[in-house]
Each structure stands twice: as structure tokens, then as C-alpha cells.
Amino acid sequence: MSGHDSKYFSTTKKGEIPELKEELNSQYKDKRKDAVKKVIAAMTVGKDVSSLFTDVVNCMQTENLELKKLVYLYLINYAKSQPDLAILAVNTFVKDSQDPNPLIRALAVRTMGCIRVDKITEYLCDPLQRCLKDDDPYVRKTAAICVAKLYDINAELVEDRGFLDALKDLISDNNPMVVANAVAALAEIQESSSRPIFEITSHTLSKLLTALNECTEWGQVFILDALSKYKAADAREAENIVERVTPRLQHANCAVVLSAVKMILQQMELITSTDVVRNLCKKMAPPLVTLLSAEPEIQYVALRNINLIVQKRPTILAHEIKVFFCKYNDPIYVKMEKLEIMIKLASDRNIDQVLLEFKEYATEVDVDFVRKAVRAIGRCAIKLERAAERCISVLLELIKIKVNYVVQEAIIVIKDIFRRYPNTYESIIATLCESLDTLDEPEAKASMIWIIGEYAERIDNADELLESFLESFPEEPPQVQLQLLTATVKLFLKKPTEGPQQMIQVVLNNATVETDNPDLRDRAYIYWRLLSTDPEAAKDVVLAEKPVISDDSNQLDPSLLDELLSNIATLSSVYHKPPEAFVTRVKTAQKTEEEEYSDAGEQGYSDSPARVAESGASPPASAANAQHPAARQPAAPAALPDLLDLGMDNSNSAIVSVDEPATPAGPPLPVVLPASSGQGLQISAQLVRRDGQVFYSMMFENNSQVPLDGFMIQFNKNTFGLAAGGQLQVPQLLPGTSASTLLPMVLFQNIAPGPPNTLLQVAVKNNQQPVWYFNDKIYFHVLFTEDGRMERSTFLETWKSLPDSNEVSRDFPASVINSVETTLDRLAASNMFFIAKRKHANQEVLYLSAKIPRGIPFLIELTAVIGTPGVKCAIKTPSPEMAPLFFEAVETLLKS
């Protein structure tokens, strides 16, 4: 390399940041403006230009509105990472809030509200108070929204400085947009407050109704949503309100129309005049129909809302069923919703039109849509008794088409029609049997088998038909196996000849010896016992008259329907779920940053394992949960374990034999089997944790007249797979004596499918009495492990790494934290470990961690005012489905 090559390693360029810095400090306005635009462009594409904070803030002192907006945009983005430097801009904000130009005044207040930095909020108060009383309505309406933003940052400050009263005063403002924004701000504040903030009175009602006619479309939505929560004093007032709101139904904006419909539906509940209600229903129909001519996405939202409306008020659209007929170019999601509404609107008057449509849909190319159309015909038959025969005729025509999935859906719905109208349409069974060989879907097979078994006495070759299914019995899905088992038993009871007798032997043998399915095996054993001991009793059970099924078109619970109708025009009405089912919480504070943690020590909090009994015993189980098998109701809420000695392999949850007693210490255990239900045997029990191990602490009391011995226990499948991990040690119990024991438990042995729950089903037997079944509760904090403590840095990293969707919160209004130290000691005793704490306004915020088996962590944030009822608990965990169980445990610990 020659000596001249060094020039390649030197450059006169300073780099992008230094060049921008130089341009920002230029004496020329245009150059400074271009430099700020370059900074904003770099910020937009993700470059870090926070080092230019001071230089950009210096550009605030300008009369140029465009430049000022750009600087404010930069401030909003970087003020959180540079809170100390952001204070430098406060003087300019305050000055701009008094600028002669109302646009600059509003811009200053809006920007200060968007900068979510606690240090700046106190400086915002005086400019905000001035702007709330500004002469210009544009400034006032901007200030109204700013109050809601300030409340989100510091609720206490807003209340102390009287901003809520100022907002309420703005409802009487002479400018409709100011009124609308004040309503919007108060509504948002009300959502994040547990006490009433915004209550409409008769005085404010007239103000809102006046403003409704003059404000923008979104302002109208805010006002209508607020009015929908107002309860009129009487029918007359409700009629007056509806009369003022009805013109909004003609609005071009869909949101305004739906909000008006919601408001009118709420007030109609109070209107007593049938003529008024009838006229309102007529007025609501055209705007709802008009929504269906919009884009497909808006159609879908409208249809989901109409689905709710017609369940409550079917007369509104009773004459408009044609608008719900599907078009060839409708997206599938729109077609499916239209089908649902057509079923709900189907009546004796229009059923012929509807059936023609459904029949047409059944020849479409979209398989899912065809299936739904065929099912819709069946649902109409079940709903309308007079039209049932016509529906069946259409279904038979569809079966003749010989399209496999159409035939199978038709058989499924015909089975339901037979249930709805027994002994009425059985003449078509022969036609159904012709399609037997084409069935390959479990639900269709199960339906056909049910029909053969139910009407075996009317089908000459019923045994041959069932036998064709028996050949593939071991390979069939459980749904088909269960139905085949029951149908064969029905056939045997109705035709106890040699053929069915051999079939029943084969089926029972397959269902008890060859299968691993416990439901199938248990049902087979019950049938076997019934048939071998008392065939007449078997007839009474298996051939009992079945209840007639009903129409499920209006499937929503009335209370849920009312709640969803009060949330029309929101996501709730689209999901058909109440808001709390998918909105985790309204955040009223910023996410915790590492520097906000206090240096409070972690020492002094016990690491000892929890004793659940110390946190308060649960109420005793009712006698309904602990009955003799013969006294149990026929419709049990969950499958009970089979404890009868049938030679089954129960290796996962074996019955353990009795040995020597062990005596647990602690307060009285809750009663799970009262003596009145256990023929004198009383059992008290509860899950506890001791020395890192879960035990089932039990007490047996013999109040009968005979000695009891040979105790055995078994646990049914449960969420955590809890099963006996050792021997149940209970000696012989003489009359009038008792014995206590600790049964070691193991986890994840026999896990129940489905959503997590705390149900623990237990069965206990002894040599002198029958099997006793009872329900107990799994206390979630018993599962908290001793290795759940986290370092602060790990806690923060884990919190940040988990998505926001994994964060769930709940309020405990009845819980009180009187002493932080006492509470932390109590939680530590249950393996909930203290991480740090901080103060937020007058609230204490505690951070803790816990862990359950398989290493699943729970990161906990508890917020409370010391000595005041009301604790907020927020958690983040990789398993948010466990959140309800966790909250129940925390609430129990806080109350103890």
C-alpha cells in the first residue's frame, strides 16, 4: 500500500446525525424546516434520532404553523424516552396555549395531552383549565378530549383540579361539537372508573338531544351511545326521546343508524303503547334494509346486529325476508349470516319462499354453505309444525340427488325431526336406508344408527342393517360406537331373538374388552348389568319415552341478549359476546419501567410452602354433591368414575388399599360428604401443600352403628391430572370414632380435556357400604411451587417478552390490603414471591411472581389503596386460560 492510500480512510463527511444537527441550528428558517422534515422522515422509517431532541425543541420558537406541528409530532414520539429534556418544551407549550391563533392554542393542548410523561402533567393543568373556557369552540372541543387523556395518565389529578366538573359544564356549551367531545371524554373516563362519573339527568338530556341534530356524524354516535344508557322516567319521556332520535335513522353513516337503533330499542322497553311500538318497528325496518346494500364488510356487521335485533323484535323485519335472500356474488360469511336470519324470520306465511331458496342453496358449489342450507331446512321443520311435512319433502328431493354430503346432512336433520315429531314421519325410513352404504361421516352414521335402533320394530331387516356397521366397530369413532352400542341394545330389547342376541354379545364384548374409551366401556358395563339382572328395568331405562326437542333458533340467553343489544354497533354485537369476554381491561396507567421499581428489600418474606387450610376453609359440599348412587339424579353434570370391581385396568388412577393412619394437623376441614348422605359416614377433606408436596388431607367419622373398614379411593379425570400417589391410610373405624390421614397426590396422571376448572370428583368405598361420590375443589394456590421466585431483571424481561394478549386483569372490590407487610407474608406462605413495589399517586403497586408445575410462570401486579376496599390484580402468563383459576386463588388469599 502506498503512502497516498490513506486518503481512503479519511472523509470530510460528518454523518447523517451531525449534518441534521447543523441544519437544525441554521439561521435560515427554510433550512431549519427542511431539517425537521428530514428528522421526521428518519423517525418514521425507524431510525433513532432522539439525540437531536434539544436541537428540535429549539425550533419550537417559530410562527410557522407547519414547522410547529412537525416539532410537536417529534416531541410526542420521544418525550417518554427523554422526560427530563421534554420539560424544556413546557414553557413553549404554555406560551402557545395563550397564542392569538386558536389553531396553535388547540395544537399546544392536544400535544401536551399526548405526551404521556408524569413530570409534564402538572404543567398541563393551568393551560388546560384556560382552554376549557376558551372563547373559540375549536379549542374547547380539543381541551375536552385532552381531559380524558390526562385522566388516563393521572386520574387523581383530574379529580382534584376540578376538570370533571368543567367537562360536565361543557355539556351545556352552545357549540354542538364541544358537547359531543365532552360526552365522548366523560364516557371514556366512566369506562376506566369504578364509581359513577357521568350520569345523564333530565336537564342534560335536553342539551344532548338539541346538540344531536347539529354535530358531526361521529359526534352523533358519541351522544347516541350516551343516551342509550339513560333510563327514561316513564313511557311518555321515552316516547319523546325516541321522537327526537328517529330522524337519525335516515343518516348516511351506518354507525349513526345502528347507534340510533340501539337507543330506540332501549327506550322501547319502557313504551307501553302497542301502536307506538308498532310504528317504531315500521320505521326501523327501511334503514336496516338499506345497510344491506353497502359493502360486504358493512353488510356482515349489519347482519350480526340484525341477528340480535330479530331475536328481540322479530316484527321489525318480518315482512322483509326477501332482502336476506343470498346473491350469487355474496361472500360466504355474508351468506352464512343471511341463512341464520332467514331461519329466525321463517313463518307459516313465508315458509314456501324460504324453502325454495334453501333448496336452491343446496345445489351450490360451496360445501359448507350447502351443509348449512340443508340444516336450515331441518331447523325450519322443527320450528314450524305446520310446515314440517313440506320441509321433509324438500329433504327427500335432495336425498334423491345422491350428492354424498347433501344426503348425510339430510339424514342428520331428519333424525332431529323424528325427535321433534315422534311417530309422525317414520314412513320415510325406507328411503333413508337406501343411502346406508354412502355414509362416511361420524355424525351422519350416528344419526342413521339412532334411527334404526329407535324404530327397529318397524324395520324388517334392522338386525342386518346394524350388522353392516358392526364389522367396522373397532375402527369407528367414539360417537358412532356409542350410538351403535345403544341401538343394538334397543334392537335386542324390541326383538329378543337369536340374531340380536348374538349381536349384543359381540358389541358388549368389543365395548368392554377391546376398547380404551372409558365412556364406551362404562356404558357397556351398565347395559350388561341391566340386561343380566333385570331386562324389564333395562327396557324402562333404554326404551324410555324421550323428551321432545325444541327449536333452537333463538339460542341466546335472554339476559345475554339484552346485554348484547345494549352494545349494538360495537364489537360485542359482532362477536355475540359480552365486552368483558374479550376486553381484558381498560388501562389507566403506563406500563411499569425498570426505573420505577422501588428499592424495597425482598428480605423478611417467608419461603415456606402454603397450607391451604390456613387461608380459610371452603363451605361444606351440599348433599346434592354426595349422594348414594341410587339416589342420584339421572342427568349428572359430569361423568362419574367407575369404582365397581369390573376387572378393568385403572393403572393411571388406581384404587389404593388401606394401611395405617397418619394424623394431619391444622384447622377443621370442610365437610365433603355429610353423615346424612353417607349412611352415617362423614368425610371432611381438602387439598393442602406441605414441604413441596401436594396432599389430600382427609378425616373420616363413623356415625353409623357398624364398624367400617377396607377404605378405597379414586379420583376422576381433572384439569391437573391429580391422582393418588400413595396408600390411603385409614384404620378400622368403630362406631363413634374418627381417623385422619394425609394422602400424597401426584399430578398429570389422568388429565380431563376441556377448559381449565377447579372441579375434583372423588369416589370412596369401604367393605360395608356402597360407593360414595362427592365433588371437591382444587385450590389453585396449592399448586404454586417453591421455585417461583424471580430476579427483578428476569421479571421485567419476561413481562416484556409476553404479548399484550397474555395480560389479563380483574378487580376484587371486596378485598382490602390493610398492611403491605402482612399481605406479602400471607402471599409468600402460598409461594407467591415479592419482587418489588412502587407508589402510583395514592396507590401501592406490588409486583410478585409465582409458578405452577411444568414451569408455567405467573407475573403479578397488585394495585390498591391501603386500608380501602378494592384491589386490582393484573397478570401476564404464557397460559392465560388459567387466569380465572389464578384470580380465584388470589382473591381467596387476600380475604383470608
Side-chain angles (χ1 to χ4, degrees), residues 18 28 71 417 537 580 590:
Y28 302 108
V71 174
I417 294 171
E580 59 271 15
Q590 287 176 274

Side-chain angles (χ1 to χ4, degrees), residues 286-576:
L288 289 172
V289 168
T290 304
L291 293 178
L292 300 181
S293 58
E295 298 84 352
E297 294 80 8
I298 291 177
Q299 280 188 55
Y300 177 73
V301 172
L303 288 165
R304 293 292 281 175
N305 282 274
I306 289 169
N307 193 324
L308 298 172
I309 293 166
V310 297
Q311 288 185 51
K312 185 75 174 178
R313 302 271 181 187
T315 53
I316 293 176
L317 292 162
H319 302 289
E320 306 287 348
I321 195 164
K322 280 189 177 180
V323 301
F324 299 104
F325 288 179
C326 299
K327 299 173 185 171
Y328 76 95
N329 59 348
D330 279 341
I332 185 65
Y333 55 87
V334 170
K335 286 181 176 178
M336 293 294 201
E337 281 307 310
K338 283 184 173 180
L339 269 182
E340 277 296 323
I341 294 167
M342 286 167 70
I343 296 167
K344 289 180 171 63
L345 294 177
S347 64
D348 292 327
R349 191 179 61 255
N350 59 28
I351 188 64
D352 289 328
Q353 281 180 303
V354 172
L355 285 177
L356 278 173
E357 280 294 306
F358 287 165
K359 187 179 176 183
E360 188 70 29
Y361 302 156
T363 59
E364 291 268 352
V365 292
D366 190 296
V367 176
D368 289 336
F369 182 53
V370 171
R371 288 177 184 277
K372 183 125 183 171
V374 176
R375 293 220 177 194
I377 296 170
R379 286 173 63 182
C380 286
I382 292 167
K383 178 183 177 183
L384 305 168
E385 187 171 353
R386 291 182 189 173
E389 195 166 342
R390 279 172 282 174
C391 294
I392 286 178
S393 299
V394 173
L395 288 171
L396 290 175
E397 287 176 38
L398 292 174
I399 288 174
K400 288 172 185 173
I401 298 172
K402 298 290 184 186
V403 176
N404 193 16
Y405 53 85
V406 175
V407 172
Q408 303 202 72
E409 285 297 323
I411 288 172
I412 291 167
V413 297
I414 286 172
K415 183 259 292 184
D416 290 334
I417 294 171
F418 284 173
R419 287 286 309 275
R420 175 71 177 85
Y421 308 108
N423 304 314
T424 309
Y425 300 109
E426 285 72 23
S427 57
I428 67 169
I429 292 175
T431 310
L432 301 182
C433 291
E434 291 171 10
S435 307
L436 213 59
D437 297 335
T438 63
L439 305 182
D440 54 16
E441 292 176 12
E443 194 176 359
K445 277 187 177 180
S447 298
M448 192 67 226
I449 292 166
W450 181 88
I451 292 170
I452 295 169
E454 189 68 16
Y455 300 102
E457 73 278 11
R458 304 187 189 191
I459 305 172
D460 296 335
N461 61 338
D463 49 348
E464 292 174 20
L465 297 177
L466 285 180
E467 204 162 4
S468 64
F469 288 105
L470 286 180
E471 294 165 7
S472 58
F473 184 90
E475 290 79 41
E476 295 289 359
Q479 183 181 7
V480 177
Q481 289 179 329
L482 286 164
Q483 204 57 258
L484 200 48
L485 170 63
T486 303
T488 310
V489 173
K490 286 179 182 175
L491 174 65
F492 173 71
L493 291 170
K494 291 178 179 182
K495 296 181 178 179
T497 55
E498 188 179 343
Q501 196 164 354
Q502 290 176 347
M503 286 172 61
I504 197 75
Q505 289 290 344
V506 173
V507 171
L508 289 174
N509 187 60
N510 276 331
T512 53
V513 179
E514 306 294 332
T515 184
D516 293 327
N517 185 330
D519 294 334
L520 180 64
R521 194 169 55 213
D522 286 356
R523 187 184 291 191
Y525 275 119
I526 290 169
Y527 285 155
W528 202 327
R529 289 276 171 102
L530 277 169
L531 293 169
S532 59
T533 55
D534 190 350
E536 287 305 314
K539 279 188 179 181
D540 292 340
V541 172
V542 181
L543 303 179
E545 190 174 333
K546 292 161 189 63
V548 174
I549 61 170
S550 58
D551 169 37
D552 68 340
S553 299
N554 297 342
Q555 63 270 36
L556 288 178
D557 181 77
S559 59
L560 175 59
L561 179 60
D562 288 340
E563 185 175 358
L564 294 178
L565 286 169
S566 69
N567 286 292
I568 279 180
T570 68
L571 276 178
S572 180
S573 65
V574 177
Y575 291 159
H576 287 191

